[in-house]
């Protein structure tokens, strides 16, 4: 009996070892090698578009400060040039790196006056030397004294291709999307976005119109005017200004009507300040002041 059990054990062991020898490797490279390949791909993709990238950036997890359009050029493997729709400040150059982590991490690793304004605590962003021309010039600054606008420096790269690069902020988990700027629009796109801010930002109040209902909206942060609150909701509707109107962080719902983008319609009839509407025309965001 013992002999039979011993023979059976040897047979099972031999079968297991034989199967292991026949198993193919799923990846040809080691995990470290695969990560290094991913990092190299991020570097090459960011630098490949010589006209740069449009960046949809929302600094705070709570969305109270809304969204901003940044324009970046990764000119080589160390330098990045940044401009923004919210300021007339000239392009600012700093450095970046793509480093290993849970995946490739895009790190803006030296101070850039435009990009890092969002990460400055209010203790600093209230000071004149840190403020951006045309944006938050109040001596009181913006945000909590130790947080400011809650921006970040490091972002996990979750997708990289020639048509888009998608990042995830390390603390807030906010989605940051980079879109390639076309050569045909490279010379005009920044001014087009700044013109949109100049046109839409002065509007001082809004109401939503859905069917026969009118719903007043207030700014989550009056200084930035890029996120709206309505009665009965705690999460703001956060958006960026665009040349055609408002582009929201995600799809929002009001009274059962969903929308992600609202395009501006010039003044006419009773809408003396114009209005923003979705493609179906089922919701309107109407300036009141």
């Amino acid at each position: 009996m013992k002999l039979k059990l011993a023979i059976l054990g040897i047979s099972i062991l031999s079968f297991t070892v034989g199967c292991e020898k026949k198993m193919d490797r799923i990846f040809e490279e080691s995990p470290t090698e695969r990560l290094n390949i991913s990092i190299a791909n991020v570097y090459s993709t960011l630098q490949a578009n010589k006209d740069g990238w449009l960046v949809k950036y929302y600094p705070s997890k709570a969305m109270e400060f809304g969204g901003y359009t940044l324009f970046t050029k990764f000119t080589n493997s160390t330098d990045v040039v940044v401009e923004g729709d919210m300021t007339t400040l000239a392009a600012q150059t700093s450095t970046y790196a793509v480093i290993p982590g849970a995946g490739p991490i895009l790190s803006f690793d030296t101070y850039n006056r435009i990009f890092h304004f969002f990460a400055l605590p209010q203790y600093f962003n209230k000071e004149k030397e840190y403020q951006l021309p045309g944006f938050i010039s109040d001596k009181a600054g913006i945000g909590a004294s130790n947080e400011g606008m809650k921006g970040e420096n490091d972002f996990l790269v979750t997708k990289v291709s020639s048509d888009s690069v998608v990042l995830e902020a390390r603390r807030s988990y906010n989605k940051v999307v980079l879109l390639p700027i076309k050569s045909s629009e490279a010379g005009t796109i920044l001014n087009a976005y700044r013109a949109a801010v100049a046109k839409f930002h002065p509007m001082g109040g809004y109401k939503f119109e859905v069917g026969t209902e009118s719903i007043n909206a207030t700014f989550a942060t009056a200084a930035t005017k890029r996120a709206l609150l309505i009665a009965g909701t705690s999460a703001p509707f956060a958006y960026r200004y665009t040349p055609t109107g408002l582009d929201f962080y995600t799809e929002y719902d009001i009274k059962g009507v969903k929308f992600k983008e609202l395009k501006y319609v010039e003044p006419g009839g009773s809408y003396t300040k114009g209005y923003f509407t979705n493609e179906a025309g089922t919701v309107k965001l109407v300036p009141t002041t």
Side-chain angles (χ1 to χ4, degrees):
M1 182 66 179
K2 291 183 179 179
L3 179 60
K4 289 182 179 180
L5 290 174
I7 293 172
L8 178 60
I10 293 171
S11 299
I12 293 173
L13 180 61
S14 299
F15 177 76
T16 303
V17 172
C19 288
E20 288 180 350
K21 288 181 178 179
K22 293 178 182 178
M23 289 177 64
D24 294 327
R25 293 178 61 183
I26 297 175
F27 299 105
E28 291 299 323
E29 305 86 6
S30 69
T32 300
E33 290 171 332
R34 293 198 302 275
L35 181 55
N36 288 337
I37 291 171
S38 296
I39 288 172
N41 186 34
V42 174
Y43 269 119
S44 62
T45 301
L46 291 176
Q47 295 173 64
N49 189 8
K50 302 304 180 184
D51 293 307
W53 299 82
L54 180 153
V55 183
K56 301 179 180 182
Y57 184 48
Y58 292 78
S60 171
K61 182 178 180 65
M63 296 289 162
E64 70 270 39
F65 305 115
Y68 304 83
T69 307
L70 304 178
F71 301 87
T72 59
K73 287 184 182 179
F74 298 86
T75 55
N76 53 46
S77 61
T78 58
D79 296 332
V80 59
V81 180
V82 181
E83 295 176 284
D85 72 336
M86 69 290 181
T87 179
T88 56
L89 186 66
Q92 301 290 298
T93 301
S94 56
T95 64
Y96 78 101
V98 185
I99 58 178
I105 304 295
L106 175 58
S107 176
F108 294 85
D109 57 357
T110 60
Y111 179 68
N112 184 290
R113 189 175 167 190
I114 294 176
F115 187 85
H116 288 106
F117 179 86
F118 299 104
L120 288 176
Q122 181 263 359
Y123 180 84
F124 290 104
N125 72 38
K126 68 182 180 180
E127 300 298 331
K128 185 176 181 179
E129 60 265 35
Y130 291 106
Q131 292 181 344
L132 302 177
F135 183 64
I136 313 299
S137 57
D138 192 330
K139 291 181 180 179
I142 187 169
S145 62
N146 63 335
E147 291 182 325
M149 297 180 74
K150 307 175 187 177
E152 302 183 40
N153 307 325
D154 300 331
F155 304 84
L156 175 66
V157 182
T158 60
K159 177 198 171 187
V160 57
S161 69
S162 60
D163 62 359
S164 67
V165 175
V166 181
L167 313 175
E168 182 183 87
R170 300 295 303 282
R171 295 196 307 272
S172 69
Y173 302 108
N174 285 356
K175 183 179 180 180
V176 181
V177 179
L178 283 68
L179 299 176
I181 296 172
K182 300 175 183 177
S183 57
S184 60
E185 62 184 2
T188 60
I189 190 169
L190 174 60
N191 286 337
Y193 272 81
R194 285 177 174 171
V197 174
K199 181 176 182 177
F200 301 138
H201 185 75
M203 296 176 179
Y206 287 105
K207 65 178 179 179
F208 282 100
E209 290 183 354
V210 182
T212 59
E213 292 191 67
S214 179
I215 305 154
N216 288 330
T218 58
F219 293 114
T221 304
T224 61
K225 294 183 180 179
R226 296 175 186 239
L228 294 171
L229 287 169
I230 63 172
T233 64
S234 57
F237 297 164
Y239 55 86
R240 299 176 304 114
Y241 295 117
T242 76
T244 59
L246 308 178
D247 181 56
F248 289 78
Y249 176 71
T250 188
E251 184 177 72
Y252 293 109
D253 181 299
I254 183 168
K255 298 294 181 179
V257 177
K258 299 181 184 299
F259 59 92
K260 172 70 171 61
E261 181 181 6
L262 298 179
K263 293 186 177 181
Y264 183 66
V265 177
E266 295 292 341
S270 61
Y271 296 102
T272 58
K273 297 181 182 297
Y275 60 89
F276 302 87
T277 188
N278 60 346
E279 188 172 346
T282 51
V283 60
K284 293 178 180 177
L285 180 63
V286 183
T288 56
T289 57

